[in-house]
PDB file of all heavy atoms in Angstrom:
ATOM      1  N   VAL A 346    -237.999 -81.453-139.763  1.00 98.00           N
ATOM      2  CA  VAL A 346    -236.962 -81.453-138.694  1.00 98.00           C
ATOM      3  C   VAL A 346    -237.496 -80.793-137.429  1.00 98.00           C
ATOM      4  O   VAL A 346    -238.047 -79.674-137.407  1.00 98.00           O
ATOM      5  CB  VAL A 346    -235.740 -80.843-139.170  1.00 98.00           C
ATOM      6  CG1 VAL A 346    -234.562 -80.921-138.099  1.00 98.00           C
ATOM      7  CG2 VAL A 346    -235.295 -81.487-140.579  1.00 98.00           C
ATOM      8  N   ALA A 347    -237.413 -81.476-136.311  1.00 97.00           N
ATOM      9  CA  ALA A 347    -237.696 -80.896-135.029  1.00 97.00           C
ATOM     10  C   ALA A 347    -236.511 -80.817-134.188  1.00 97.00           C
ATOM     11  O   ALA A 347    -235.535 -81.590-134.251  1.00 97.00           O
ATOM     12  CB  ALA A 347    -238.750 -81.830-134.362  1.00 97.00           C
ATOM     13  N   ARG A 348    -236.452 -79.849-133.261  1.00 98.00           N
ATOM     14  CA  ARG A 348    -235.339 -79.690-132.371  1.00 98.00           C
ATOM     15  C   ARG A 348    -235.494 -80.800-131.247  1.00 98.00           C
ATOM     16  O   ARG A 348    -236.521 -81.121-130.810  1.00 98.00           O
ATOM     17  CB  ARG A 348    -235.346 -78.309-131.642  1.00 98.00           C
ATOM     18  CG  ARG A 348    -235.149 -77.117-132.763  1.00 98.00           C
ATOM     19  CD  ARG A 348    -235.006 -75.924-132.068  1.00 98.00           C
ATOM     20  NE  ARG A 348    -234.962 -74.767-132.995  1.00 98.00           N
ATOM     21  CZ  ARG A 348    -233.796 -74.431-133.646  1.00 98.00           C
ATOM     22  NH1 ARG A 348    -232.727 -74.974-133.313  1.00 98.00           N
ATOM     23  NH2 ARG A 348    -233.882 -73.410-134.525  1.00 98.00           N
ATOM     24  N   LEU A 349    -234.324 -81.338-130.970  1.00 98.00           N
ATOM     25  CA  LEU A 349    -234.265 -82.265-129.853  1.00 98.00           C
ATOM     26  C   LEU A 349    -234.640 -81.651-128.522  1.00 98.00           C
ATOM     27  O   LEU A 349    -234.010 -80.702-128.167  1.00 98.00           O
ATOM     28  CB  LEU A 349    -232.924 -82.912-129.778  1.00 98.00           C
ATOM     29  CG  LEU A 349    -232.762 -84.100-128.829  1.00 98.00           C
ATOM     30  CD1 LEU A 349    -233.546 -85.339-129.254  1.00 98.00           C
ATOM     31  CD2 LEU A 349    -231.321 -84.452-128.606  1.00 98.00           C
ATOM     32  N   PRO A 350    -235.716 -82.115-127.862  1.00 96.00           N
ATOM     33  CA  PRO A 350    -236.141 -81.366-126.609  1.00 96.00           C
ATOM     34  C   PRO A 350    -235.062 -81.449-125.545  1.00 96.00           C
ATOM     35  O   PRO A 350    -234.274 -82.523-125.449  1.00 96.00           O
ATOM     36  CB  PRO A 350    -237.413 -82.144-126.237  1.00 96.00           C
ATOM     37  CG  PRO A 350    -237.836 -83.027-127.433  1.00 96.00           C
ATOM     38  CD  PRO A 350    -236.546 -83.238-128.197  1.00 96.00           C
ATOM     39  N   GLU A 351    -235.011 -80.432-124.738  1.00 94.00           N
ATOM     40  CA  GLU A 351    -234.179 -80.375-123.610  1.00 94.00           C
ATOM     41  C   GLU A 351    -234.650 -81.514-122.736  1.00 94.00           C
ATOM     42  O   GLU A 351    -235.838 -81.723-122.508  1.00 94.00           O
ATOM     43  CB  GLU A 351    -234.250 -79.090-122.803  1.00 94.00           C
ATOM     44  CG  GLU A 351    -233.602 -77.912-123.581  1.00 94.00           C
ATOM     45  CD  GLU A 351    -232.127 -78.024-123.830  1.00 94.00           C
ATOM     46  OE1 GLU A 351    -231.493 -78.631-122.906  1.00 94.00           O
ATOM     47  OE2 GLU A 351    -231.610 -77.500-124.857  1.00 94.00           O
ATOM     48  N   GLY A 352    -233.628 -82.293-122.114  1.00 91.00           N
ATOM     49  CA  GLY A 352    -234.046 -83.349-121.192  1.00 91.00           C
ATOM     50  C   GLY A 352    -234.008 -84.747-121.920  1.00 91.00           C
ATOM     51  O   GLY A 352    -234.129 -85.780-121.209  1.00 91.00           O
ATOM     52  N   LEU A 353    -233.818 -84.847-123.225  1.00 96.00           N
ATOM     53  CA  LEU A 353    -233.650 -86.039-124.010  1.00 96.00           C
ATOM     54  C   LEU A 353    -232.355 -86.094-124.622  1.00 96.00           C
ATOM     55  O   LEU A 353    -231.884 -85.170-125.305  1.00 96.00           O
ATOM     56  CB  LEU A 353    -234.813 -86.229-124.973  1.00 96.00           C
ATOM     57  CG  LEU A 353    -236.234 -86.733-124.634  1.00 96.00           C
ATOM     58  CD1 LEU A 353    -237.027 -86.897-125.914  1.00 96.00           C
ATOM     59  CD2 LEU A 353    -236.088 -88.008-123.858  1.00 96.00           C
ATOM     60  N   THR A 354    -231.644 -87.203-124.499  1.00 97.00           N
ATOM     61  CA  THR A 354    -230.463 -87.360-125.222  1.00 97.00           C
ATOM     62  C   THR A 354    -230.871 -87.952-126.657  1.00 97.00           C
ATOM     63  O   THR A 354    -232.018 -88.414-126.843  1.00 97.00           O
ATOM     64  CB  THR A 354    -229.474 -88.403-124.616  1.00 97.00           C
ATOM     65  OG1 THR A 354    -230.141 -89.650-124.604  1.00 97.00           O
ATOM     66  CG2 THR A 354    -229.131 -87.981-123.200  1.00 97.00           C
ATOM     67  N   ALA A 355    -229.955 -87.896-127.561  1.00 97.00           N
ATOM     68  CA  ALA A 355    -230.313 -88.480-128.878  1.00 97.00           C
ATOM     69  C   ALA A 355    -230.536 -89.999-128.730  1.00 97.00           C
ATOM     70  O   ALA A 355    -231.456 -90.419-129.424  1.00 97.00           O
ATOM     71  CB  ALA A 355    -229.101 -88.255-129.891  1.00 97.00           C
ATOM     72  N   ARG A 356    -229.950 -90.674-127.863  1.00 97.00           N
ATOM     73  CA  ARG A 356    -230.113 -92.114-127.634  1.00 97.00           C
ATOM     74  C   ARG A 356    -231.509 -92.323-127.176  1.00 97.00           C
ATOM     75  O   ARG A 356    -232.354 -93.193-127.598  1.00 97.00           O
ATOM     76  CB  ARG A 356    -229.115 -92.768-126.848  1.00 97.00           C
ATOM     77  CG  ARG A 356    -229.357 -94.242-126.628  1.00 97.00           C
ATOM     78  CD  ARG A 356    -228.352 -94.766-125.480  1.00 97.00           C
ATOM     79  NE  ARG A 356    -228.679 -96.210-125.218  1.00 97.00           N
ATOM     80  CZ  ARG A 356    -229.587 -96.707-124.442  1.00 97.00           C
ATOM     81  NH1 ARG A 356    -230.307 -95.817-123.738  1.00 97.00           N
ATOM     82  NH2 ARG A 356    -229.749 -98.052-124.279  1.00 97.00           N
ATOM     83  N   GLU A 357    -231.904 -91.478-126.176  1.00 97.00           N
ATOM     84  CA  GLU A 357    -233.163 -91.655-125.643  1.00 97.00           C
ATOM     85  C   GLU A 357    -234.332 -91.320-126.574  1.00 97.00           C
ATOM     86  O   GLU A 357    -235.335 -92.008-126.723  1.00 97.00           O
ATOM     87  CB  GLU A 357    -233.471 -90.704-124.430  1.00 97.00           C
ATOM     88  CG  GLU A 357    -232.667 -91.209-123.173  1.00 97.00           C
ATOM     89  CD  GLU A 357    -232.736 -90.207-122.063  1.00 97.00           C
ATOM     90  OE1 GLU A 357    -232.822 -88.938-122.334  1.00 97.00           O
ATOM     91  OE2 GLU A 357    -232.629 -90.627-120.887  1.00 97.00           O
ATOM     92  N   ALA A 358    -234.105 -90.277-127.443  1.00 98.00           N
ATOM     93  CA  ALA A 358    -235.114 -89.960-128.497  1.00 98.00           C
ATOM     94  C   ALA A 358    -235.293 -90.987-129.445  1.00 98.00           C
ATOM     95  O   ALA A 358    -236.326 -91.295-129.946  1.00 98.00           O
ATOM     96  CB  ALA A 358    -234.533 -88.639-129.147  1.00 98.00           C
ATOM     97  N   MET A 359    -234.184 -91.800-129.742  1.00 98.00           N
ATOM     98  CA  MET A 359    -234.265 -92.884-130.776  1.00 98.00           C
ATOM     99  C   MET A 359    -234.774 -94.192-130.003  1.00 98.00           C
ATOM    100  O   MET A 359    -235.301 -95.008-130.678  1.00 98.00           O
ATOM    101  CB  MET A 359    -232.957 -93.126-131.490  1.00 98.00           C
ATOM    102  CG  MET A 359    -232.669 -91.975-132.485  1.00 98.00           C
ATOM    103  SD  MET A 359    -233.881 -91.928-133.817  1.00 98.00           S
ATOM    104  CE  MET A 359    -234.982 -90.672-133.194  1.00 98.00           C
ATOM    105  N   THR A 360    -234.590 -94.315-128.727  1.00 97.00           N
ATOM    106  CA  THR A 360    -235.286 -95.382-127.960  1.00 97.00           C
ATOM    107  C   THR A 360    -236.795 -95.272-128.258  1.00 97.00           C
ATOM    108  O   THR A 360    -237.440 -96.178-128.332  1.00 97.00           O
ATOM    109  CB  THR A 360    -234.899 -95.369-126.603  1.00 97.00           C
ATOM    110  OG1 THR A 360    -233.421 -95.594-126.452  1.00 97.00           O
ATOM    111  CG2 THR A 360    -235.462 -96.555-125.825  1.00 97.00           C
ATOM    112  N   LEU A 361    -237.229 -94.013-128.004  1.00 98.00           N
ATOM    113  CA  LEU A 361    -238.642 -93.624-128.340  1.00 98.00           C
ATOM    114  C   LEU A 361    -238.840 -93.762-129.774  1.00 98.00           C
ATOM    115  O   LEU A 361    -239.702 -94.613-130.290  1.00 98.00           O
ATOM    116  CB  LEU A 361    -238.940 -92.252-127.770  1.00 98.00           C
ATOM    117  CG  LEU A 361    -238.930 -92.155-126.242  1.00 98.00           C
ATOM    118  CD1 LEU A 361    -238.888 -90.704-125.831  1.00 98.00           C
ATOM    119  CD2 LEU A 361    -240.149 -92.907-125.624  1.00 98.00           C
ATOM    120  N   GLY A 362    -238.310 -92.885-130.611  1.00 97.00           N
ATOM    121  CA  GLY A 362    -238.581 -92.858-132.075  1.00 97.00           C
ATOM    122  C   GLY A 362    -239.997 -92.799-132.426  1.00 97.00           C
ATOM    123  O   GLY A 362    -240.831 -92.304-131.617  1.00 97.00           O
ATOM    124  N   THR A 363    -240.227 -93.223-133.615  1.00 97.00           N
ATOM    125  CA  THR A 363    -241.687 -93.299-134.116  1.00 97.00           C
ATOM    126  C   THR A 363    -242.472 -94.081-133.194  1.00 97.00           C
ATOM    127  O   THR A 363    -243.708 -93.743-132.955  1.00 97.00           O
ATOM    128  CB  THR A 363    -241.684 -93.837-135.550  1.00 97.00           C
ATOM    129  OG1 THR A 363    -241.138 -92.905-136.444  1.00 97.00           O
ATOM    130  CG2 THR A 363    -243.123 -94.074-135.975  1.00 97.00           C
ATOM    131  N   ALA A 364    -241.969 -95.223-132.711  1.00 96.00           N
ATOM    132  CA  ALA A 364    -242.770 -96.054-131.677  1.00 96.00           C
ATOM    133  C   ALA A 364    -243.185 -95.253-130.468  1.00 96.00           C
ATOM    134  O   ALA A 364    -244.341 -95.330-130.143  1.00 96.00           O
ATOM    135  CB  ALA A 364    -241.963 -97.276-131.330  1.00 96.00           C
ATOM    136  N   GLY A 365    -242.214 -94.472-129.868  1.00 97.00           N
ATOM    137  CA  GLY A 365    -242.560 -93.782-128.716  1.00 97.00           C
ATOM    138  C   GLY A 365    -243.454 -92.709-129.018  1.00 97.00           C
ATOM    139  O   GLY A 365    -244.349 -92.392-128.256  1.00 97.00           O
ATOM    140  N   LEU A 366    -243.278 -91.974-130.072  1.00 97.00           N
ATOM    141  CA  LEU A 366    -244.175 -90.850-130.545  1.00 97.00           C
ATOM    142  C   LEU A 366    -245.573 -91.465-130.713  1.00 97.00           C
ATOM    143  O   LEU A 366    -246.581 -90.834-130.262  1.00 97.00           O
ATOM    144  CB  LEU A 366    -243.649 -90.213-131.840  1.00 97.00           C
ATOM    145  CG  LEU A 366    -244.475 -89.058-132.328  1.00 97.00           C
ATOM    146  CD1 LEU A 366    -244.548 -87.877-131.356  1.00 97.00           C
ATOM    147  CD2 LEU A 366    -243.958 -88.729-133.675  1.00 97.00           C
ATOM    148  N   THR A 367    -245.696 -92.543-131.365  1.00 97.00           N
ATOM    149  CA  THR A 367    -247.045 -93.146-131.572  1.00 97.00           C
ATOM    150  C   THR A 367    -247.622 -93.537-130.163  1.00 97.00           C
ATOM    151  O   THR A 367    -248.865 -93.314-130.061  1.00 97.00           O
ATOM    152  CB  THR A 367    -246.806 -94.406-132.414  1.00 97.00           C
ATOM    153  OG1 THR A 367    -246.208 -93.973-133.632  1.00 97.00           O
ATOM    154  CG2 THR A 367    -248.248 -94.982-132.773  1.00 97.00           C
ATOM    155  N   ALA A 368    -246.874 -94.159-129.308  1.00 98.00           N
ATOM    156  CA  ALA A 368    -247.459 -94.456-127.966  1.00 98.00           C
ATOM    157  C   ALA A 368    -247.987 -93.322-127.274  1.00 98.00           C
ATOM    158  O   ALA A 368    -248.932 -93.289-126.627  1.00 98.00           O
ATOM    159  CB  ALA A 368    -246.305 -95.240-127.151  1.00 98.00           C
ATOM    160  N   GLY A 369    -247.138 -92.238-127.368  1.00 98.00           N
ATOM    161  CA  GLY A 369    -247.525 -90.990-126.632  1.00 98.00           C
ATOM    162  C   GLY A 369    -248.808 -90.359-127.318  1.00 98.00           C
ATOM    163  O   GLY A 369    -249.697 -89.945-126.550  1.00 98.00           O
ATOM    164  N   LEU A 370    -248.924 -90.463-128.599  1.00 98.00           N
ATOM    165  CA  LEU A 370    -250.209 -89.991-129.248  1.00 98.00           C
ATOM    166  C   LEU A 370    -251.363 -90.878-128.825  1.00 98.00           C
ATOM    167  O   LEU A 370    -252.482 -90.375-128.690  1.00 98.00           O
ATOM    168  CB  LEU A 370    -250.032 -90.046-130.745  1.00 98.00           C
ATOM    169  CG  LEU A 370    -249.091 -88.969-131.388  1.00 98.00           C
ATOM    170  CD1 LEU A 370    -248.600 -89.262-132.703  1.00 98.00           C
ATOM    171  CD2 LEU A 370    -249.719 -87.525-131.308  1.00 98.00           C
ATOM    172  N   CYS A 371    -251.198 -92.128-128.715  1.00 98.00           N
ATOM    173  CA  CYS A 371    -252.268 -93.107-128.329  1.00 98.00           C
ATOM    174  C   CYS A 371    -252.707 -92.683-126.846  1.00 98.00           C
ATOM    175  O   CYS A 371    -253.901 -92.612-126.561  1.00 98.00           O
ATOM    176  CB  CYS A 371    -251.731 -94.544-128.364  1.00 98.00           C
ATOM    177  SG  CYS A 371    -251.596 -95.170-129.937  1.00 98.00           S
ATOM    178  N   VAL A 372    -251.688 -92.469-125.888  1.00 98.00           N
ATOM    179  CA  VAL A 372    -252.089 -92.134-124.625  1.00 98.00           C
ATOM    180  C   VAL A 372    -252.823 -90.838-124.558  1.00 98.00           C
ATOM    181  O   VAL A 372    -253.748 -90.631-123.879  1.00 98.00           O
ATOM    182  CB  VAL A 372    -250.847 -92.134-123.687  1.00 98.00           C
ATOM    183  CG1 VAL A 372    -251.129 -91.482-122.308  1.00 98.00           C
ATOM    184  CG2 VAL A 372    -250.237 -93.521-123.575  1.00 98.00           C
ATOM    185  N   GLU A 373    -252.392 -89.800-125.374  1.00 98.00           N
ATOM    186  CA  GLU A 373    -252.922 -88.592-125.418  1.00 98.00           C
ATOM    187  C   GLU A 373    -254.440 -88.637-125.841  1.00 98.00           C
ATOM    188  O   GLU A 373    -255.321 -87.950-125.368  1.00 98.00           O
ATOM    189  CB  GLU A 373    -252.127 -87.663-126.346  1.00 98.00           C
ATOM    190  CG  GLU A 373    -252.659 -86.163-126.327  1.00 98.00           C
ATOM    191  CD  GLU A 373    -251.818 -85.297-127.176  1.00 98.00           C
ATOM    192  OE1 GLU A 373    -251.761 -85.553-128.390  1.00 98.00           O
ATOM    193  OE2 GLU A 373    -251.173 -84.419-126.674  1.00 98.00           O
ATOM    194  N   LYS A 374    -254.674 -89.532-126.902  1.00 98.00           N
ATOM    195  CA  LYS A 374    -255.946 -89.762-127.369  1.00 98.00           C
ATOM    196  C   LYS A 374    -256.911 -90.263-126.224  1.00 98.00           C
ATOM    197  O   LYS A 374    -258.070 -89.815-126.120  1.00 98.00           O
ATOM    198  CB  LYS A 374    -255.978 -90.762-128.468  1.00 98.00           C
ATOM    199  CG  LYS A 374    -255.532 -90.138-129.848  1.00 98.00           C
ATOM    200  CD  LYS A 374    -256.680 -89.402-130.628  1.00 98.00           C
ATOM    201  CE  LYS A 374    -256.208 -89.108-132.035  1.00 98.00           C
ATOM    202  NZ  LYS A 374    -257.321 -88.557-132.888  1.00 98.00           N
ATOM    203  N   LEU A 375    -256.362 -91.145-125.512  1.00 98.00           N
ATOM    204  CA  LEU A 375    -257.268 -91.768-124.438  1.00 98.00           C
ATOM    205  C   LEU A 375    -257.508 -90.706-123.387  1.00 98.00           C
ATOM    206  O   LEU A 375    -258.647 -90.623-122.880  1.00 98.00           O
ATOM    207  CB  LEU A 375    -256.486 -92.930-123.759  1.00 98.00           C
ATOM    208  CG  LEU A 375    -256.257 -94.144-124.602  1.00 98.00           C
ATOM    209  CD1 LEU A 375    -255.643 -95.239-123.784  1.00 98.00           C
ATOM    210  CD2 LEU A 375    -257.572 -94.685-125.350  1.00 98.00           C
ATOM    211  N   LEU A 376    -256.484 -89.949-123.073  1.00 98.00           N
ATOM    212  CA  LEU A 376    -256.787 -88.846-122.039  1.00 98.00           C
ATOM    213  C   LEU A 376    -257.755 -87.766-122.513  1.00 98.00           C
ATOM    214  O   LEU A 376    -258.598 -87.464-121.818  1.00 98.00           O
ATOM    215  CB  LEU A 376    -255.417 -88.171-121.676  1.00 98.00           C
ATOM    216  CG  LEU A 376    -254.414 -88.983-120.964  1.00 98.00           C
ATOM    217  CD1 LEU A 376    -252.988 -88.338-120.823  1.00 98.00           C
ATOM    218  CD2 LEU A 376    -254.921 -89.508-119.651  1.00 98.00           C
ATOM    219  N   GLU A 377    -257.685 -87.484-123.790  1.00 98.00           N
ATOM    220  CA  GLU A 377    -258.525 -86.553-124.416  1.00 98.00           C
ATOM    221  C   GLU A 377    -260.069 -87.091-124.390  1.00 98.00           C
ATOM    222  O   GLU A 377    -260.960 -86.279-124.297  1.00 98.00           O
ATOM    223  CB  GLU A 377    -258.138 -86.105-125.845  1.00 98.00           C
ATOM    224  CG  GLU A 377    -256.849 -85.233-125.777  1.00 98.00           C
ATOM    225  CD  GLU A 377    -256.391 -85.010-127.250  1.00 98.00           C
ATOM    226  OE1 GLU A 377    -256.881 -85.717-128.202  1.00 98.00           O
ATOM    227  OE2 GLU A 377    -255.590 -84.173-127.432  1.00 98.00           O
ATOM    228  N   ALA A 378    -260.175 -88.431-124.537  1.00 98.00           N
ATOM    229  CA  ALA A 378    -261.362 -89.027-124.517  1.00 98.00           C
ATOM    230  C   ALA A 378    -262.011 -89.178-123.067  1.00 98.00           C
ATOM    231  O   ALA A 378    -263.087 -89.683-122.931  1.00 98.00           O
ATOM    232  CB  ALA A 378    -261.330 -90.368-125.139  1.00 98.00           C
ATOM    233  N   GLY A 379    -261.226 -88.882-122.072  1.00 98.00           N
ATOM    234  CA  GLY A 379    -261.622 -88.844-120.693  1.00 98.00           C
ATOM    235  C   GLY A 379    -261.030 -90.027-119.820  1.00 98.00           C
ATOM    236  O   GLY A 379    -261.519 -90.258-118.657  1.00 98.00           O
ATOM    237  N   ALA A 380    -260.113 -90.703-120.348  1.00 98.00           N
ATOM    238  CA  ALA A 380    -259.525 -91.846-119.631  1.00 98.00           C
ATOM    239  C   ALA A 380    -258.922 -91.382-118.233  1.00 98.00           C
ATOM    240  O   ALA A 380    -258.234 -90.369-118.299  1.00 98.00           O
ATOM    241  CB  ALA A 380    -258.551 -92.545-120.475  1.00 98.00           C
ATOM    242  N   ALA A 381    -259.236 -92.085-117.210  1.00 98.00           N
ATOM    243  CA  ALA A 381    -258.584 -91.828-115.951  1.00 98.00           C
ATOM    244  C   ALA A 381    -258.231 -93.104-115.248  1.00 98.00           C
ATOM    245  O   ALA A 381    -258.945 -94.153-115.459  1.00 98.00           O
ATOM    246  CB  ALA A 381    -259.561 -91.026-115.053  1.00 98.00           C
ATOM    247  N   PRO A 382    -257.255 -93.152-114.415  1.00 98.00           N
ATOM    248  CA  PRO A 382    -256.771 -94.373-113.754  1.00 98.00           C
ATOM    249  C   PRO A 382    -257.965 -95.197-112.990  1.00 98.00           C
ATOM    250  O   PRO A 382    -257.950 -96.400-112.944  1.00 98.00           O
ATOM    251  CB  PRO A 382    -255.758 -93.969-112.696  1.00 98.00           C
ATOM    252  CG  PRO A 382    -255.101 -92.814-113.474  1.00 98.00           C
ATOM    253  CD  PRO A 382    -256.276 -92.050-114.075  1.00 98.00           C
TER     254      PRO A 382
END
Side-chain angles (χ1 to χ4, degrees):
V346 184
R348 295 185 186 277
L349 188 68
E351 292 294 329
L353 278 185
T354 66
R356 180 186 180 275
E357 288 175 329
M359 289 295 95
T360 301
L361 292 163
T363 290
L366 178 64
T367 304
L370 288 164
C371 286
V372 170
E373 188 176 66
K374 283 274 190 178
L375 296 185
L376 295 176
E377 289 173 348

